[in-house]
Amino acid sequence: MEIKPLNVIVYNQDKVNIEDVVAPPYDVIDSNYQNELYERSDYNIVRLILAKGENRYEDAKNDFNKWLEEKVLTQLDKPCILYIVQKYTTEKGKKVERKGFIARNKIEKFGEGKIFPHEFTMGGPKADRLKLVSACKAFFSQIFMVYSDSTMLMENDIGKKLSETKPFIDVKDDKDVQNLVWVIDDENDIKRIQDMMNDKTLLIADGHHRYETSMNYSNEHPENEEAKYVMSYFTNLDDENLIVYPTHRIITRQIEPYVLLESVKKHYDIEEFIFDSYTKEKVKEDFLAKIEEENQKQITMGLYMKNVNKFYVLKLKPEAQNLVEAPEVLKKLDLTVLHELIITKELGYTKEEQMAQDGIKYIKQEAEAFDMIDLGKAEASFIMAYPKMQDIRDISSAGYKMPQKSTYFYPKLLSGLAINPLWK
């Protein structure tokens, strides 16, 4: 894979407080949060990635150019690669330090090179992002790419040396994730990274819409050499700090617990975890641990239903897998089985309802999946096991895509750490 350094534009930290101007990717910002970010600073990146008003693309362009003129945004003197360490604590109290770097990669069509998607995309977001890129002539957010490097060059060599120096950026986001950024502008180190990445294949973990937008923009502007590359964040799947989180399935359409349980029993063996108000949290811990333990041996998930003081561990019956109408590589995926056998065949949800989340919700946070039941906002929560990276790799390399909202790569990459102009 061809990698190039960035001619990067960054915030001038002499003029702004970096905590006031960064934001998560546009697609996780609702209207209330958008307003909050607007109020936080006149220079918050949300005014570029998710501007308000009828002429929002033109407004974003005008603000971008104005900030450059005011030197609020400034271009670094030398082409560089940015090394990033994100420090956070999981819901279960584990401390994680995910490492990666931001550079540019050559844009390739899917199926014709070394870049593979793993999820489906929709037309609306791609049209929106294309209008923004076309107006501003810049990428404001990164594609999230995963590669494999057992030598751990970035983590144990280049990154380790950098981590002993003061970072260029040190900022905590609103999720309390600490983002540390170092600038790599040494030509020898850049060459080592390029050589390391030369034979790699890339899996798009997040940012499918943005990647396809970069392809569309490149096709519309074949004369622009800079547009043949897109800004991406790269992280190593051989690093244990890369954790892929599940997205849980929440049934919000009314259904009696015993009816759902009978449907589930047709395809899954069930183990019950009974609790009362005093034992609930401890039993929940055992329940979640059992899901992960059993999922190493066979497809396993959990079930929690409204007004039922039990957690259920669901272990797929061997013969049930043959009922799934999908390619073999997809049959080993828990979500494929759940959607085909239970949500579609047993509960009668149409594909359109599932895509539109009509009567069913896709929830990333484990705690919220339980809370929705406890608060009476949902009928049942299917608690999914942590996805296996090998399954993701096998499915994408075979040319298939996973079900909608299958994986959750946390933490998100902040917008505002780096801007990639489509000019030199």
Side-chain angles (χ1 to χ4, degrees), residues 18-19 22 24 33 84-91 94 96-99 169-181 233 245 365 408-414 417:
I18 194 69
E19 288 191 357
V22 294
Y33 191 28
I84 298 182
V85 177
Q86 292 174 289
K87 298 182 179 182
Y88 68 100
T89 303
T90 68
E91 286 184 345
K94 179 181 178 180
V96 180
E97 294 187 11
R98 192 180 71 193
K99 306 169 186 74
I169 294 173
D170 182 350
V171 59
K172 276 195 174 182
D173 64 22
D174 290 337
K175 298 287 188 181
D176 206 34
V177 177
Q178 186 178 15
N179 296 263
L180 303 167
V181 183
Y233 164 81
Y245 295 88
Q365 300 300 328
Y408 179 40
F409 288 83
Y410 180 86
K412 294 281 189 178
L413 258 293
L414 284 174
L417 297 180

Side-chain angles (χ1 to χ4, degrees), residues 94-138:
K94 179 181 178 180
K95 294 188 180 300
V96 180
E97 294 187 11
R98 192 180 71 193
K99 306 169 186 74
F101 63 95
I102 297 177
R104 294 184 295 159
N105 62 274
K106 186 77 174 286
I107 296 169
E108 297 178 348
K109 292 181 180 178
F110 297 142
E112 295 184 6
K114 295 182 177 180
I115 297 177
F116 296 91
H118 85 277
E119 286 187 343
F120 290 95
T121 59
M122 295 174 285
K126 286 184 283 189
D128 166 61
R129 293 299 94 181
L130 184 58
K131 290 176 182 177
L132 180 63
V133 173
S134 299
C136 297
K137 307 293 188 295

Side-chain angles (χ1 to χ4, degrees), residues 57 136 314 418:
Y57 307 109
C136 297
L314 315 180

Side-chain angles (χ1 to χ4, degrees), residues 10-233:
V10 296
Y11 275 103
N12 182 348
Q13 295 181 72
D14 291 333
K15 289 183 174 286
V16 296
N17 180 349
I18 194 69
E19 288 191 357
D20 294 337
V21 295
V22 294
Y26 79 100
D27 54 350
V28 297
I29 300 174
D30 62 21
S31 58
N32 290 333
Y33 191 28
Q34 180 189 26
N35 291 333
E36 180 184 333
L37 292 169
Y38 256 75
E39 292 173 6
R40 192 172 293 178
S41 172
D42 290 341
Y43 300 109
N44 191 285
I45 194 72
V46 75
R47 295 172 182 265
L48 305 185
I49 63 173
L50 200 62
K52 297 179 180 180
E54 294 181 5
N55 301 313
R56 56 199 188 96
Y57 307 109
E58 191 69 19
D59 291 344
K61 181 184 79 171
N62 292 337
D63 278 340
F64 182 41
N65 291 332
K66 179 186 174 196
W67 299 355
L68 286 167
E69 290 172 6
E70 295 176 347
K71 306 297 183 185
V72 170
L73 293 174
T74 183
Q75 192 162 18
L76 295 187
D77 294 335
K78 296 170 65 177
C80 66
I81 289 173
L82 300 180
Y83 177 65
I84 298 182
V85 177
Q86 292 174 289
K87 298 182 179 182
Y88 68 100
T89 303
T90 68
E91 286 184 345
K92 295 179 172 62
K94 179 181 178 180
K95 294 188 180 300
V96 180
E97 294 187 11
R98 192 180 71 193
K99 306 169 186 74
F101 63 95
I102 297 177
R104 294 184 295 159
N105 62 274
K106 186 77 174 286
I107 296 169
E108 297 178 348
K109 292 181 180 178
F110 297 142
E112 295 184 6
K114 295 182 177 180
I115 297 177
F116 296 91
H118 85 277
E119 286 187 343
F120 290 95
T121 59
M122 295 174 285
K126 286 184 283 189
D128 166 61
R129 293 299 94 181
L130 184 58
K131 290 176 182 177
L132 180 63
V133 173
S134 299
C136 297
K137 307 293 188 295
F139 292 116
F140 299 120
S141 303
Q142 305 82 25
I143 317 301
F144 190 136
M145 299 283 197
V146 175
Y147 68 97
S148 176
D149 175 37
S150 59
T151 71
M152 308 286 280
L153 173 71
M154 290 301 302
E155 297 80 9
N156 295 340
D157 187 338
I158 296 174
K160 187 175 182 181
K161 288 186 296 184
L162 288 169
S163 63
E164 296 170 355
T165 65
K166 184 180 179 180
F168 173 63
I169 294 173
D170 182 350
V171 59
K172 276 195 174 182
D173 64 22
D174 290 337
K175 298 287 188 181
D176 206 34
V177 177
Q178 186 178 15
N179 296 263
L180 303 167
V181 183
W182 288 265
V183 175
I184 303 172
D185 57 13
D186 179 83
E187 292 182 5
N188 182 56
D189 282 341
I190 290 174
K191 178 69 164 53
R192 293 173 68 201
I193 295 169
Q194 289 175 315
D195 290 344
M196 181 267 290
M197 294 295 291
N198 189 51
D199 64 345
K200 304 302 184 196
T201 57
L202 300 176
L203 175 68
I204 300 177
D206 197 10
H208 291 77
H209 292 101
R210 294 192 292 277
Y211 184 78
E212 291 190 32
T213 296
S214 73
M215 286 197 294
N216 293 335
Y217 185 85
S218 181
N219 290 336
E220 289 184 5
H221 300 275
E223 77 292 345
N224 187 343
E225 288 297 316
E226 298 299 301
K228 294 178 181 177
Y229 297 82
V230 65
M231 179 172 65
S232 296
Y233 164 81

